[in-house]
Amino acid sequence: MKAILVPKPGPADVMQYGDAPDPTPKDGELLVRVHGTAINRADILQRLGLYPPPPGASDVLGLEIVGDVVRPAGRWKKGDRVMAVVAGGGYAQLAVVPAAQAMPVPEGMSYEQAAALPEAYQTAYLNMFTLGKLKRGESVLVHAGASGVGTAAIQLARVTGARVFVTAGTDDKLAFCRDLGAEVLINYKKEKFAERVMAATDKRGVDLILDFIGAAYWNDNLAALASYGRLTIIGFLGGDKGDLSLALMMRKSLTVMSTTLRRTPADKKEQLVKALGDFANDRFKSGELRPIVDSVYPLERAADAHRHMESNRNIGKIVLRVE
């Protein structure tokens, strides 16, 4: 099969379009003819040699796929259209995924749209609902609101009946977030988000924060949370070390959680896939929820897609089309 190969860590140019061995599915796994995948920050870290795949996972980049079942397993039949988060191997013509972790492609949705869905919505659902326990009437601050996970989180929070705050670095991104359902729009380059959150909540703070930045935002996140608020850490683009205020955390009785979807145990992934499907499948079919596609590149131009993500200009997901 054709795949994107990374012979050595480095910048986007190290990626090569070439031949790789076909994956061999184990019992209970689907073999999928891949039609699309999407770029994630984890792919860039792996390309740089900073985020190795879990033991036993493919060393080919790519954490999500959409395509047709070639070798069925479980409830799936040959030819079924499926999408899934995978531990690796998405940037290729063939991939394997445990049957219980696959989701059906919603009726009427293109492969390119579906490629933008699995990682963003599973990550957002896991952090907002499974861990974050967000409920109707509560408030949530979503950092990087125009990212793939951010755009999914805004929509999920909106249909739940939560008040949505977002941060982003440009007015265009904030306007897009507003159109998705965000109410309080914060340009982090022009104002301090914690001050804006407290002003917009009459000094109460928000109930939940989804954070991709990490240590650089730690103290401001705690300051922006309401008493008994929850913070879920999804990434650390702003570093993983810094001066941390534990006193404020204890004074407000805050809860801090973190997760990496890639290393979530199989049984937890299966539970997540079912919970998200029960909540969202009908909403995807009706269009109430929709994946946001920023741009589409052919697989052989994966390096250009990586450079586009590294420029931080995208709104939603950057998709790779696999012929």
Side-chain angles (χ1 to χ4, degrees), residues 106-257:
E107 184 178 345
M109 186 174 289
S110 70
Y111 288 118
E112 292 171 356
Q113 291 172 308
L117 193 158
E119 185 274 341
Y121 273 91
Q122 286 189 32
T123 300
Y125 189 95
L126 173 63
N127 285 275
M128 274 208 309
F129 301 128
T130 307
L131 298 178
K133 308 297 183 185
L134 185 68
K135 301 186 295 291
R136 177 176 295 277
E138 289 191 323
S139 53
V140 57
L141 169 61
V142 180
H143 288 305
S147 66
V149 176
T151 55
I154 293 168
Q155 295 178 71
L156 289 170
R158 181 200 70 215
V159 301
T160 302
R163 186 185 186 197
V164 184
F165 296 57
V166 296
T167 64
T170 69
D171 292 340
D172 286 347
K173 288 183 176 182
L174 290 173
F176 195 91
C177 293
R178 178 196 60 216
D179 292 343
L180 289 179
E183 178 181 339
V184 179
L185 312 172
I186 306 168
N187 188 325
Y188 67 83
K189 295 182 179 179
K190 297 179 180 179
E191 55 187 332
K192 295 182 178 180
F193 72 83
E195 294 179 358
R196 180 70 184 285
V197 166
M198 297 307 284
T201 59
D202 196 23
K203 299 182 180 181
R204 176 184 179 276
V206 293
D207 298 292
L208 176 65
I209 296 177
L210 271 61
D211 179 46
F212 304 82
I213 309 304
Y217 273 12
W218 174 271
N219 291 326
D220 286 336
N221 278 334
L222 300 191
L225 281 168
S227 294
Y228 299 95
R230 292 93 66 194
L231 168 64
T232 61
I233 300 175
I234 304 172
F236 44 87
L237 294 173
D240 62 346
K241 297 178 177 65
D243 295 326
L244 310 181
S245 172
L246 297 179
L248 183 57
M249 180 178 169
M250 296 180 69
R251 188 161 65 244
K252 288 187 173 184
S253 299
L254 303 178
T255 300
V256 178
M257 299 156 283

